[in-house]
C-alpha cells in the first residue's frame, strides 16, 4: 500500500532566487512528522512576509537548509509526497538546496539536490481542479477554495506550512472518498 506524506512550504517569494523559510511534512491524518523554519540566504520579500508572517526576526535563529535537509529527506524518501502545487514547492526546495550548495562542487550539488528531483510526487492542486473545477485564469484552484468546495475545515493557520500541509491531507482524503463513491 502506498504511504502518503503531505508537504508544504512558505517561501521568501516566488521568483528564481526565492527559497524556503518554513517547511512542514504531515502524515495522512495531518499529524506533523517534521516542521521547521529555515534560514534563507536571501531576504524575505515584504509581500511574502505579509502573507505568511515570517520575517527576519523569526528567522534569525532558524536552522539552515543543510542543517535540516537529512531530516526532510528521511521523512520523504520512499513515500509518495503529495503537495498542493507540487511544481512550485519542488522548485523552491531545489532552489534552496542549490543556494546552500553553491561553490561546493558538482558532487556536493548532486548530493544536495538530486534526491529532491527524484521524489515521487502528486499534485493535489491539479487533482482538486479536476474534481472541483478551476477557479482562476491559470486553470487551477487555490487550497482555500478547494477545501471549501470539498467541505474541509482548514487545519491550523492559513499560510502556515503545517496548516496548509494538514489541510492538503484532509482534502486528499475527501477526494479519495469522492472518487471511490463515483
Amino acid at each position: 500500500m502506498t504511504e502518503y506524506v503531505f508537504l508544504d512550504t512558505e517561501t521568501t517569494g516566488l521568483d528564481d532566487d526565492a527559497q524556503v523559510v518554513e517547511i512542514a511534512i504531515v502524515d495522512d491524518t495531518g499529524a506533523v512528522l517534521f516542521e521547521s523554519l529555515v534560514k534563507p540566504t536571501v531576504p524575505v520579500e515584504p509581500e511574502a512576509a505579509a502573507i505568511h508572517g515570517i520575517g527576519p526576526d523569526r528567522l534569525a535563529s532558524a536552522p539552515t537548509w543543510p542543517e535540516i535537509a537529512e531530516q526532510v529527506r528521511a521523512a520523504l524518501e520512499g513515500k509518495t509526497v503529495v503537495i498542493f502545487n507540487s511544481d512550485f514547492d519542488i522548485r523552491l526546495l531545489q532552489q534552496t538546496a542549490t543556494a546552500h550548495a553553491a561553490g561546493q562542487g558538482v558532487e556536493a550539488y548532486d548530493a544536495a539536490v538530486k534526491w529532491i528531483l527524484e521524489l515521487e510526487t502528486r499534485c493535489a492542486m491539479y487533482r482538486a481542479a479536476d474534481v472541483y473545477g478551476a477557479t482562476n485564469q491559470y486553470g487551477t484552484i487555490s487550497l482555500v477554495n478547494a477545501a471549501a468546495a470539498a467541505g474541509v475545515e482548514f487545519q491550523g493557520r492559513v499560510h502556515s506550512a503545517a496548516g496548509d500541509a494538514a489541510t492538503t491531507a484532509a482534502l486528499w482524503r475527501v477526494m479519495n472518498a469522492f472518487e471511490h463513491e463515483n
Side-chain angles (χ1 to χ4, degrees):
M1 188 166 134
T2 302
E3 183 179 355
Y4 291 100
V5 292
F6 300 81
L7 176 142
D8 190 73
T9 66
E10 299 302 325
T11 65
T12 61
L14 305 174
D15 65 17
D16 292 342
D17 295 322
Q19 295 176 31
V20 172
V21 295
E22 184 180 40
I23 185 170
I25 303 161
V26 305
D27 67 14
D28 60 354
T29 69
V32 175
L33 302 172
F34 181 82
E35 179 180 18
S36 181
L37 292 173
V38 184
K39 184 186 283 185
T41 65
V42 296
V44 178
E45 294 175 8
E47 300 83 5
I51 292 170
H52 54 56
I54 301 170
D57 52 328
R58 288 190 56 202
L59 296 170
S61 61
T64 63
W65 177 255
E67 293 173 310
I68 66 164
E70 284 306 312
Q71 292 170 279
V72 172
R73 185 176 184 168
L76 300 178
E77 278 191 327
K79 299 170 184 87
T80 300
V81 184
V82 180
I83 307 168
F84 204 89
N85 194 354
S86 62
D87 290 345
F88 177 78
D89 283 284
I90 293 298
R91 177 174 65 88
L92 270 289
L93 288 172
Q94 180 185 2
Q95 287 176 196
T96 302
T98 298
H100 287 279
Q104 295 180 14
V106 173
E107 285 183 29
Y109 172 82
D110 284 348
V113 178
K114 190 174 180 185
W115 69 269
I116 295 168
L117 302 176
E118 293 174 345
L119 291 170
E120 182 178 341
T121 62
R122 301 286 182 276
C123 186
M125 178 183 70
Y126 286 113
R127 184 173 179 201
D130 288 344
V131 173
Y132 302 110
T135 60
N136 60 42
Q137 66 193 22
Y138 306 108
T140 62
I141 187 171
S142 71
L143 180 55
V144 170
N145 286 342
V152 169
E153 186 173 322
F154 212 89
Q155 312 292 303
R157 187 173 58 80
V158 175
H159 295 302
S160 71
D164 290 359
T167 301
T168 300
L171 174 64
W172 195 259
R173 287 191 306 273
V174 170
M175 289 190 295
N176 282 343
F178 176 79
E179 288 178 353
H180 292 305
E181 290 173 3
N182 294 314

